[in-house]
């Protein structure tokens, strides 16, 4: 008895396992797949083709093997093939890449590709394994569902929009009804179709009395024609229009009283014709407030004028007082200075060294006081309008030389170099005395604020019809914050003992009175430059000629 018969007759024993062939199993799985499972070489040539590929693309294995995958591409999708082959040749995997392919019958197929590189024993890529799934119907279904979803969404949106419009219209009517201003809507003939509660309260009419009445019901008798003309013109032109801001526009209540209003008109063209909306605002309180403001303004301006006149009068009194005071102070100071000069000449006997120093102090201080008095007197005259300048053609060279000569002793005593440039034969229109005063003030300030060993210079350049004069020094300079203040009266830069702070203010006034302007450039510890312009005499001659 064989082993097989013994097992069949006796009790059941262990069954012999079936023989397993991996290649046959894999081939069976490939052939039974609904997806196309295709093998390709690296150049895209088809090397294997299963039943799923035949079902999806319509080609038999005999027809497909040996052809290139480009033969299956839908026109326009060929560029994807080169891109995919490139990725796979470098060992990359591609998952679920959707592209278009062509069925043997010529119809278009949308497929989802999953591609893997096939690697040989040496680690090099030797081929491509591709799974293609037909997703045409699924995509069409998705598109159909998407379209249906879009239709439902649009229906929902239209319904929501309709509800929103209804809500907005209801709120709009509520807004109109509860607005603080009177709102009236009428047709192009002026017949009232809508009137809110504020209209009833403002004009004293019931709602039924307003609807169907002409807009002229709300207008005083004397303004009917003008109102009708304005309304007709507005209907023709359209847009928006606001009335009553400039003119005295009035409205009429039921009880016959009139009151000032502003009316804003707007129009809209509807199926039933042009509709005009009028917003009417009672401006009684505003006009009353405006009138009160106007009255206060007039009172304030009158008071301001009175105070200005009083200030001018006090300024004149101040100037006259300063002028008188300066005149009274000048006389004894001249006397003091004169006697100091006589003492210094030692005509009545020899002075000791200490006495000579005392006399010198008396002379210097009296001269300084005279200069301060002159500055105060000059500025008072300028403010009071009592200073006159008489310009005439004069050589700039002479005026510069005279000023430099006057200041030279002070510069030498302090050890400051004084330099000038020759302006040539330039003639300027200036008052000789006032031009000397400008030069002296600027040069004396430059020497005062320049340390020993420094330099002060005067230059002049031609600029069109003007001569630009520059007085420069290498002194302490002026900070940017102070530069905007130095031309104001009584302002002094830093601590400058012995000055009244009027010199630069006087210079500015004198330059401007002669048709020029003055400015400053300065840098702390680097020096200062004052520039002022004078009109060329030749330019004046050309204009007058």
């Amino acid at each position: 008895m064989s082993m097989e018969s013994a097992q069949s007759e006796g009790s059941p024993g262990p069954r012999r396992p079936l023989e397993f062939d991996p290649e046959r199993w894999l081939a069976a799985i490939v052939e039974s797949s609904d997806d196309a499972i295709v093998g390709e070489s690296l150049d895209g040539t088809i090397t294997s083709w299963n039943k799923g590929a035949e079902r999806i693309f319509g080609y038999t294995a005999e027809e497909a093997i040996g052809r290139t995958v480009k033969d299956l591409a839908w026109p326009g999708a060929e560029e994807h093939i080169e891109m995919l082959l490139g990725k796979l040749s470098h060992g990359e995997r591609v998952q679920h890449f959707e592209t278009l392919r062509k069925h043997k019958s010529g119809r278009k197929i949308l497929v989802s590709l999953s591609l893997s590189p096939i690697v040989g024993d040496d680690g090099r890529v030797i081929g491509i394994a591709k799974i293609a799934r037909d997703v045409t119907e699924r995509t069409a279904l998705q598109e159909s569902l998407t379209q249906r979803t879009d239709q439902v969404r649009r229906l929902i949106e239209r319904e929501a929009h309709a509800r929103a419009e209804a809500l907005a219209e209801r709120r709009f009517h509520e807004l109109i009804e509860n607005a603080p201003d009177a709102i009236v809507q009428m047709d192009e003939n002026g017949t009232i179709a809508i009137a809110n509660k504020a209209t009833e309260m403002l004009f004293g009419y019931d709602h039924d009395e307003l609807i169907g009445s002409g807009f002229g019901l709300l207008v005083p008798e004397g303004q009917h024609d003008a109102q009708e003309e304005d309304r007709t013109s507005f209907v023709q032109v359209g847009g928006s229009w606001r009335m009553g801001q400039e003119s005295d526009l009035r409205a009429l209540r039921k009880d016959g009283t009139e009151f000032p209003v502003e009316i804003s008109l707007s129009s809209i063209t509807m199926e039933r014709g042009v509709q005009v909306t009028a917003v009417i605002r009672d401006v009684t309180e505003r006009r009353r407030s405006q009138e009160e403001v106007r009255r206060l303004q007039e009172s304030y301006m009158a008071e301001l004028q009175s105070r200005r006149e009083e200030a001018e009068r006090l300024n004149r009194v101040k100037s006259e007082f300063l002028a008188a005071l300066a005149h009274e102070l000048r006389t004894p100071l001249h006397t003091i200075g004169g006697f100091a000069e006589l003492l210094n000449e030692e005509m009545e006997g020899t002075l000791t060294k200490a006495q000579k120093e005392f006399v010198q102090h008396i002379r210097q201080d009296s001269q300084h006081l005279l200069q301060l008095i002159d500055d105060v007197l000059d500025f008072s005259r300028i403010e009071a309008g009592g200073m006159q300048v008489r310009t005439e053609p004069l050589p700039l060279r002479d005026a510069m030389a005279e000023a430099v000569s006057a200041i030279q002793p002070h510069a030498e005593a302090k050890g400051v170099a004084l330099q000038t440039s020759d302006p040539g034969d330039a003639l300027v229109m200036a008052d000789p005395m006032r031009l000397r005063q400008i030069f002296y003030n600027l040069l004396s300030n430059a020497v005062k604020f320049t340390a020993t060993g420094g330099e002060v210079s005067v230059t002049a350049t031609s600029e069109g019809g003007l001569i630009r004069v520059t007085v420069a020094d290498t002194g302490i300079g002026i900070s940017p914050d102070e530069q905007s203040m130095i031309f104001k009266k009584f302002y002094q830069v830093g601590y400058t003992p012995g000055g009244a702070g009027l010199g630069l203010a006087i210079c500015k006034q004198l330059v401007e009175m002669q048709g020029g302007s003055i400015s400053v450039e300065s840098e702390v510890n680097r020096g200062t430059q004052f520039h002022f312009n004078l009109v060329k005499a030749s330019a004046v001659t050309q204009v007058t000629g």
Side-chain angles (χ1 to χ4, degrees), residues 53 87 108 160 214 322 389 399 401 411 459:
K87 285 179 174 289
K108 182 166 57 176
L322 289 175
V389 294
T459 58

Side-chain angles (χ1 to χ4, degrees), residues 96-107:
H96 309 300
F97 181 84
E98 292 190 356
T99 186
L100 294 175
R101 291 289 183 263
K102 184 170 60 176
H103 191 270
K104 180 179 179 179
S105 64
R107 63 182 174 86

